[in-house]
């Protein structure tokens, strides 16, 4: 029955594949053409199905893996299972959803944060930094914020894209959330100039850390 379910779901995903959507997604490194609103609608209908989620993940299909993330039970995965899944996550969207929708809700997230942050693979390390950014914002107790700024100052400018982006987010989050480190965070951003010229649409906040920090702090004060 489970195999039939997987085949049915794969057929449904194939039916909503759109070449134009794929073309847009492929520019961002995501090899699927499924509208995410339609994908979420399928997930809503299927509800939580952990075994089906595992089988969809095993297909190695990007759309199927995104659906698997939406219908899985995040707390049901073992630490080593999530470690393997992250290393298998080939595309940015699968990687981001896995970290944000699954790993952050899993009891092994802190252990994985420390393991991944030290990993020589920059994409794996970026997941560790994403989890660190989450802690900076929500549970900073026990984090060495000054030490994190030291690492960012030394390594961010020359880091590969995904890792650089994750470090920059952490830098901004430290500056936004922790007033005692704000001046240093802004100074590091100004000196390293990472993402300074990033094209930012109107009404969006630049990812350049000094601008990002200043804008978010201003909004907090305006509330």
């Amino acid at each position: 029955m489970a195999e039939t379910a997987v085949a049915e779901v794969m057929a449904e995903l194939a039916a909503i594949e759109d070449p134009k959507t794929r073309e847009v997604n492929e520019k961002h490194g995501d090899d699927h053409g499924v509208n995410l609103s339609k994908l979420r609608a399928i997930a809503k209908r299927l509800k939580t199905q952990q075994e089906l989620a595992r089988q969809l993940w095993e297909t190695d299909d990007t759309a199927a893996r995104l659906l698997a993330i939406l219908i899985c039970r995040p707390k049901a995965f073992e630490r080593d299972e999530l470690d393997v899944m992250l290393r298998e996550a080939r595309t940015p969207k699968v990687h981001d959803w896995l970290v944000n929708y699954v790993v952050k809700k899993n009891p092994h997230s802190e252990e994985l944060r420390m393991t991944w942050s030290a990993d020589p693979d920059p994409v794996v390390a970026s997941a560790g930094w994403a989890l660190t950014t989450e802690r900076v914002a929500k549970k900073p107790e026990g984090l060495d914020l000054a030490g994190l700024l030291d690492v960012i100052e030394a390594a961010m400018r020359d880091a590969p894209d995904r890792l650089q982006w994750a470090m920059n987010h952490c830098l901004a989050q430290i500056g936004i959330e922790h007033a005692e480190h704000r001046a240093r965070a802004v100074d590091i951003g100004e000196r390293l100039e990472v993402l300074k010229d990033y094209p930012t649409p109107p009404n969006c906040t630049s990812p350049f850390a000094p601008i990002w920090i200043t804008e978010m702090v201003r909004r907090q004060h305006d509330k």
Side-chain angles (χ1 to χ4, degrees):
M1 182 174 171
E3 286 176 11
T4 307
V6 171
E8 286 172 0
V9 172
M10 295 303 290
E12 189 169 359
L13 291 174
I16 60 171
E17 168 83 19
D18 175 56
K20 288 182 181 175
T21 304
R22 176 176 283 271
E23 191 180 331
V24 171
N25 287 337
E26 283 182 344
K27 289 177 183 173
H28 304 288
D30 291 310
D31 57 349
H32 76 91
V34 172
N35 177 287
L36 295 181
S37 296
K38 292 179 180 177
L39 189 80
R40 289 180 187 279
I42 295 172
K44 192 173 181 181
R45 192 187 75 238
L46 291 173
K47 299 188 171 64
T48 303
Q49 295 192 49
Q50 181 67 8
E51 192 50 43
L52 178 58
R54 282 196 167 102
Q55 290 169 337
L56 287 171
W57 183 271
E58 290 301 319
T59 65
D60 194 28
D61 177 84
T62 294
R65 285 186 164 180
L66 291 172
L67 182 59
I69 289 166
L70 294 176
I71 67 169
C72 77
R73 191 174 290 108
K75 294 179 180 176
F77 292 103
E78 296 299 328
R79 177 207 174 281
D80 290 350
E81 195 174 7
L82 287 175
D83 185 62
V84 169
M85 289 169 73
L86 185 88
R87 294 170 194 279
E88 290 175 343
R90 297 172 294 102
T91 66
K93 184 68 75 178
V94 172
H95 176 100
D96 291 343
W97 278 25
L98 183 65
V99 172
N100 287 301
Y101 297 169
V102 181
V103 180
K104 285 181 180 179
K105 299 174 183 177
N106 184 276
H108 302 290
S109 63
E110 179 60 16
E111 191 182 347
L112 289 168
R113 180 186 77 81
M114 292 190 287
T115 300
W116 290 342
S117 295
D119 198 277
D121 182 330
V123 176
V124 175
S126 74
W129 279 92
L131 294 172
T132 298
T133 302
E134 173 88 349
R135 272 205 59 192
V136 166
K138 296 184 177 176
K139 223 167 78 175
E141 299 79 16
L143 280 181
D144 177 7
L145 297 177
L148 287 173
L149 290 175
D150 290 343
V151 175
I152 292 167
E153 188 171 18
M156 182 171 73
R157 180 184 280 159
D158 299 321
D161 287 353
R162 295 292 300 275
L163 180 55
Q164 184 185 70
W165 189 273
M167 284 183 160
N168 184 70
H169 190 181
C170 190
L171 173 67
Q173 205 68 52
I174 291 172
I176 292 163
E177 302 288 344
H178 302 279
E180 68 276 20
H181 296 285
R182 187 169 297 147
R184 186 182 173 203
V186 169
D187 177 62
I188 290 170
E190 286 173 345
R191 281 186 291 105
L192 298 188
E193 298 189 337
V194 168
L195 301 175
K196 185 176 183 179
D197 299 320
Y198 191 84
T200 306
N203 303 319
C204 291
T205 304
S206 168
F208 179 48
I211 295 175
W212 190 354
I213 293 166
T214 303
E215 173 60 17
M216 297 311 291
V217 171
R218 181 191 67 74
R219 289 185 198 177
Q220 288 172 357
H221 287 163
D222 286 350
K223 282 183 182 175

